[in-house]
Amino acid sequence: MIPYKAEMKFGFYRTGHWINPFVDKSGAYIFLPDGPAKDMGCRNCRLVVIKGPLFSSATTWLNITSQTVALYNTNAAQGLGVHVTNHVDLHLHDNVEVVLKLKTSVENSDYFYTDLNSFQMHRRKTLNRFPIQGNFYPMTSAAFIEDSRIRFSLLSAESHGIASLNPGTLELILDRRLAQDDWRGLKEGVQDNVQAVSQFIVVVEEWKNAVKSSKVPPLTGFPSRVVQRMGNAMENRLVFLSSSVSKPPFSLLSHSALPCDVHLVNMRLLSVEGDGTRGLELLVVLHRVGVTCEIENPVASDCTDSDEIMFSSLFRNFTVTSVDEMTLTGTSVIRHILPDTPVVLNNMEIKTWKLNLI
């Protein structure tokens, strides 16, 4: 086990301290801070700690923010991460932009990775010749920094701006409230703030073998299988429905039907013949995610390690009668295949299929 340490704190950027009203300041479209972020002080802070057999948490209340850090006692993937929930309320403050600062012992130099629309991890580089705002990048769902020993991953349920202004650090913008227009067409500041809630999962992983350090890491990176599953669970949360009528349990998909690295992006009903007893027509979108094999997978999975997808065994209590590979939008047929024909998706590939069920 490699020892490592990390700390997390709130900070804030200020803007709009100039007398000249025609000088650009931060606004709805412009991020133009006065200088580096300052640490947010803690006066009369309150702390509540909860310990239990299922999870333990610590909640801290500051002046304009609160934070809950939780650990779950489970052998599943959710038990490997630190779950963070933040609340930011800026409705009584102007010209302030609140950030979450994470400082670690990771020696990542000037490089870090952020996702491109939750599809692929892309290398970023912090350039000292750029101002602070020039080193922030969009993060849709994930970011990580790494060195030859460990990888520090951050999963997010919302989109944020993120930067790694110093080695071993990550900085995320949580919320902003600005009093002035930035002369970009909106003709007003950002004054309609409500309480901003942000949710993160922090995961630290070790490489299977020591990775050769390189001055320039690869252009693209891939999450581990565990981080990928945790990200999917965060982005696709369970929706609980209750009913006063008692009904037996129902599951449409069979157990372990899909490979571990294949994600069910969407499945929607196209049509029902008659009263539904004669057949269903479904549109299924599948994505084979790219994952790294250089990080240990400590969680026992309930999926299959096979690369093949068998549509004939995908559903419970239904028989697949026909399978059509479609264009991504599902408007045109590419080819017909038999239901018991194995299908293999290449890494990072997304395909759409139309299935008929009875």
Side-chain angles (χ1 to χ4, degrees), residues 30-335:
I30 298 296
F31 173 46
L32 197 61
D34 289 345
K38 300 178 181 179
D39 293 342
M40 188 175 296
C42 182
R43 296 180 180 178
N44 301 321
C45 298
R46 293 176 295 161
L47 174 65
V48 174
V49 178
I50 300 175
K51 294 183 179 179
L54 299 180
F55 76 96
S56 299
S57 67
T59 302
T60 305
W61 285 270
L62 283 74
N63 294 331
I64 59 176
T65 63
S66 67
Q67 183 180 78
T68 299
V69 179
L71 296 173
Y72 290 89
N73 184 20
T74 174
N75 294 326
Q78 301 301 319
L80 298 177
V82 179
H83 299 251
V84 182
T85 303
N86 303 307
H87 294 78
V88 180
D89 189 356
L90 294 179
H91 76 279
L92 296 179
H93 301 265
D94 280 329
N95 288 334
V96 60
E97 300 172 86
V98 178
V99 297
L100 182 67
K101 303 164 69 174
L102 297 100
K103 183 178 180 181
T104 73
S105 58
V106 178
E107 300 173 356
N108 65 308
S109 184
D110 297 326
Y111 296 95
F112 66 107
Y113 288 82
T114 65
D115 67 295
L116 297 175
N117 292 329
S118 300
F119 182 74
Q120 188 177 37
M121 303 300 295
H122 190 71
R123 185 189 69 204
R124 309 293 191 181
K125 178 176 173 60
T126 301
L127 300 175
N128 293 328
R129 68 177 185 271
F130 284 3
I132 294 174
Q133 59 270 25
N135 284 307
F136 272 83
Y137 295 89
M139 179 192 72
T140 308
S141 60
F144 64 75
I145 54 178
E146 62 185 16
D147 57 19
S148 60
R149 305 172 303 150
I150 62 175
R151 172 185 286 181
F152 183 92
S153 300
L154 181 69
L155 306 177
S156 175
E158 305 84 20
S159 299
H160 297 271
I162 190 170
S164 180
L165 301 178
N166 297 291
T169 65
L170 288 173
E171 192 171 295
L172 303 95
I173 296 180
L174 299 181
D175 197 17
R176 53 206 303 261
R177 181 179 173 90
L178 304 159
Q180 62 280 326
D181 180 34
D182 56 7
W183 306 92
R184 296 301 185 273
L186 188 62
K187 298 183 179 180
E188 63 180 24
V190 181
Q191 298 281 288
D192 54 349
N193 298 68
V194 296
Q195 188 179 81
V197 181
S198 54
Q199 297 175 303
F200 305 100
I201 301 178
V202 176
V203 186
V204 180
E205 301 170 295
E206 299 178 6
W207 300 103
K208 288 182 180 179
N209 302 303
V211 180
K212 293 182 180 180
S213 60
S214 174
K215 292 184 179 180
V216 181
L219 180 62
T220 57
F222 298 96
S224 66
R225 182 176 292 179
V226 171
V227 167
Q228 181 67 41
R229 295 186 65 184
M230 295 173 71
N232 286 339
M234 172 175 273
E235 296 172 17
N236 305 278
R237 297 182 179 274
L238 293 176
V239 178
F240 295 93
L241 302 176
S242 61
S243 174
S244 59
V245 180
S246 178
K247 294 184 178 181
F250 172 77
S251 178
L252 180 62
L253 297 176
S254 61
H255 189 64
S256 302
L258 293 174
C260 294
D261 56 355
V262 172
H263 173 51
L264 179 60
V265 178
N266 193 7
M267 181 172 62
R268 65 178 186 266
L269 184 66
L270 294 180
S271 63
V272 180
E273 295 184 9
D275 58 359
T277 60
R278 297 176 55 189
L280 304 174
E281 192 175 59
L282 298 178
L283 201 64
V284 177
V285 182
L286 299 177
H287 171 213
R288 185 176 183 185
V289 299
V291 295
T292 179
C293 299
E294 298 177 353
I295 295 178
E296 291 284 356
N297 181 22
V299 178
S301 60
D302 55 357
C303 49
T304 175
D305 289 326
S306 173
D307 292 336
E308 297 181 346
I309 303 171
M310 298 290 292
F311 289 109
S312 59
S313 59
L314 188 60
F315 300 93
R316 289 182 177 179
N317 304 321
F318 287 94
T319 301
V320 179
T321 58
S322 67
V323 179
D324 296 326
E325 182 181 347
M326 310 291 290
T327 56
L328 189 60
T329 56
T331 55
S332 302
V333 177
I334 297 177
R335 64 184 178 118

